[in-house]
Amino acid sequence: MIMKALEVNGRTYQWMKEPLVVVCVDGCEYDYLTEVVKTGKTPFLEKILKDGNAYKGDCVVPSFTNPNNLSIVTGRPPSVHGICGNFFFDPDLKEEVMMNEVKYLRAETVLAKFSHEGAKVAVITAKDKLRKLLGHQIVGGICFSSEKADQCTVDENGITGVLEMIGMPLPSVYSADLSEFVFAAGVKIMESVRPDLMYLSTTDYIQHKYAPGTDGANDFYIMMDSYLSKLDKLGVTIAITADHGMNAKTNSEGKPNVIYLQDLADQVVGKDNARVILPITDPYVVHHGALGSYATIYISNDLKNELVEKLKATPGISKVLNNSEACSLFELPNDRVGDLVIVSDKSVVLGTSESRHDLSGLDAPLRSHGGISEQTVPLLFNRRLIQKPNSHLRNFDILDISLNSLEPRA
Ligand code: ZN
Ligand code: ZN
């Protein structure tokens, strides 16, 4: 085994001294952890919080899943890796395209780099939309999603017979089981293959539905704790963070608090003169109705000021930025962001036109993310840091800290 430090995207990572498992818990607002620990049923999390190995940091804005997962595995913001949402408007094609193809990825991942140097790497995601991006250029490793665990082949995923190995049926995309499957598979693979570097990424189905401290949320974290305890006993370093937080997006009557930006723009600058893109949109929108707290708008220069004035005067909108302001503030790729970026207040979400959002699938008061209000995320380690971090942490520092700054197992 090569035991050298590797440089990836301008950051240096020491070779792991024991297996490292990095977990991205989708939508893990910090309060979920402090609340579940009160139940006394999460010994692993409780120890981390009590020992002071729990920190807070910022995720990338837009606080969505793909930009943040890619930041975590590349160690850099979207201005470097290029993935700034699920969707963007391709100016050449003149249409909205999904950004989950590897051709849109502009940076190498730390996972791929370590695999090139001989590390055994395993990546398990809940939803398949992330699998290709996270697994890009990993050689000789394992990479699959719970969603399509029944279709794994050695050629494509580096593993087959996953359902039999785990002993769980294929989970529904809209279930807590989809995430449990990730943890169960992670434990099985650590017990058998013992990879050097493992990345586990869950889905936020539960977090969209249940607030911190509720039974539905606590059950999820108690389940997670049981698997992490098993991993911990296998003698591995465990680092936990989140892609973003999660907040209630409802008014006093419990109804979704929505500003429909396309309707608003059509009124101000004329129908279809502005194009509103919601980068949260993906094929699975039942649990949030494609409503988040971040939007980008394409609009011609001559109409821009009029719309900006109106947006700034609209209650519930916290930021109206032009392309260059937004890209420098949030470290985003200029060519994949519209002419304007809109961020809404903590309890407000942004839509396109009222007629285009189907909210009939919402069986719980709306909770969502995307804005600055969901930027705070946990960074947890089952080891002590050599010294307290002196700079403001980001979720994409997690690999750096895990490989460079943790004390060895006591
Ligand atoms: Zn997410
Ligand atoms: Zn979500």
Side-chain angles (χ1 to χ4, degrees), residues 26 65 127 204 208 244 246 280 287-288 368-369:
D26 201 323
T65 302
K127 290 184 190 171
D204 58 0
H208 272 287
H244 50 76
M246 187 76 72
I280 192 175
H287 54 317
H288 52 61
S368 196
H369 51 94

Side-chain angles (χ1 to χ4, degrees), residues 234-252:
L234 292 170
V236 305
T237 303
I238 301 172
I240 303 159
T241 189
D243 53 350
H244 50 76
M246 187 76 72
N247 280 306
K249 305 288 182 181
T250 44
N251 59 24
S252 54

